[in-house]
Amino acid sequence: YPGSFGAPPPAQDPMWGYFTAIAGQDGEVDAEELQRCLTQSGFSGTYTPFSLETCRIMIAMLDRDMTGKMGFNEFKELFMALNGWKQNFMTYDQDRSGTVEPHEMQQAIGAMGYRVSPQALNAIVKRYSKGGRIFFDDYVACCVKLRALTDSFKRRDTVQQGSIMLQYDDFILCTMAI
Amino acid sequence: YPGSFGAPPPAQDPMWGYFTAIAGQDGEVDAEELQRCLTQSGFSGTYTPFSLETCRIMIAMLDRDMTGKMGFNEFKELFMALNGWKQNFMTYDQDRSGTVEPHEMQQAIGAMGYRVSPQALNAIVKRYSKGGRIFFDDYVACCVKLRALTDSFKRRDTVQQGSIMLQYDDFILCTMAI
Ligand SMILES: [Ca+2]
Ligand SMILES: [Ca+2]
Ligand SMILES: [Ca+2]
């Protein structure tokens, strides 16, 4: 199709109708709409539904223009990522208790390709634990945050040196919204 | 008193008994204990009690040794900060609706002495809004995060230049835990 650059126009995408129904009048999905959609679609299965806080983090991850809302492409991108994390979580949660162990989460983060020190891994896992275990909602919130922060870092680390120069305002901008 | 450096020993501090009752066996306060204590003490008044998520952020702000728990001095420091933010919030929430307006929150952040760009201010306020307004719980979560991130930045900006060099691992460590 001319002008489509290989991607089908939204109207032909099977998810387009679903998206527009959720997005409503403004044509974009905010945190409350996302929470409703994830709850009603039964995405979490037997796991506790996502908190509004986690949904806000999900949107912040993809929300480059900082409107607090997601367009169609971000919406699809989010669902792909969520499916991956859910698969991953279920691999570790073999007894379907709804939680994984700290060492399993550390393994999972490593398996996703993040190179973080044992100290950072430890701090992360502690932050997202409740009573020494990690619930699905917190697991996803952690994955979202880690991905968003790593993306922010990489965008600034143009020469791929593993370290960046950050101004205070930029630091606040890329960390406070997540 | 010898060895006291001017501060009364904990046993003579009026808050010590309160702290030990909340801390329990391990002598430190974790997020769940903090939430229970803030709810039972009626700290939020007519406002919605703090979510567990906000309590975790509060502990992360002060938790330099990353144990996920607070000792006595941190506990007192937190209460001082909380009182300040509550006063501040109530000044803006004159009709006691439990929420403040985005522009009021922007003003409040400026009044606390943070020097952030209009773009960052905007992103922050959007992130902590629900339906275009900011609730007390989210207001406090935002203040805690902003303070913790600013402290982290300042500790690394030893020459006070307003910009720092950050390694990936350090970046993750100082942002993921909050
Ligand atoms: Ca919408
Ligand atoms: Ca399990
Ligand atoms: Ca305790």
Side-chain angles (χ1 to χ4, degrees), chain A residues 47 89 93 97-106 124-142, chain B residues 56:
Chain A
Y47 299 139
F89 187 88
D93 180 23
S97 66
T99 58
V100 298
E101 309 280 338
H103 75 270
E104 292 171 331
M105 185 160 178
Q106 298 201 1
I124 292 169
V125 170
K126 208 158 266 155
R127 168 67 175 80
Y128 291 92
S129 300
K130 272 177 197 148
R133 322 209 70 214
I134 299 100
F135 288 80
F136 182 55
D137 178 61
D138 292 316
Y139 179 87
V140 170
C142 175
Chain B
R56 283 160 154 188

Side-chain angles (χ1 to χ4, degrees), chain A residues 48-80:
Chain A
T48 322
F50 290 113
S51 66
L52 186 60
E53 175 63 19
T54 300
C55 293
R56 282 162 156 187
I57 300 174
M58 290 181 197
I59 290 192
M61 170 180 78
L62 296 160
D63 186 25
R64 301 266 163 83
D65 61 352
M66 309 221 184
T67 58
K69 299 175 178 183
M70 262 187 315
F72 182 56
N73 289 325
E74 287 78 20
F75 184 75
K76 286 206 294 184
E77 199 181 329
L78 176 63
F79 268 83
M80 293 235 321

Side-chain angles (χ1 to χ4, degrees), chain A residues 22-24 26-30 33:
Chain A
I22 291 155
D26 63 353
E28 290 203 291
V29 172
D30 62 28
E33 288 163 342

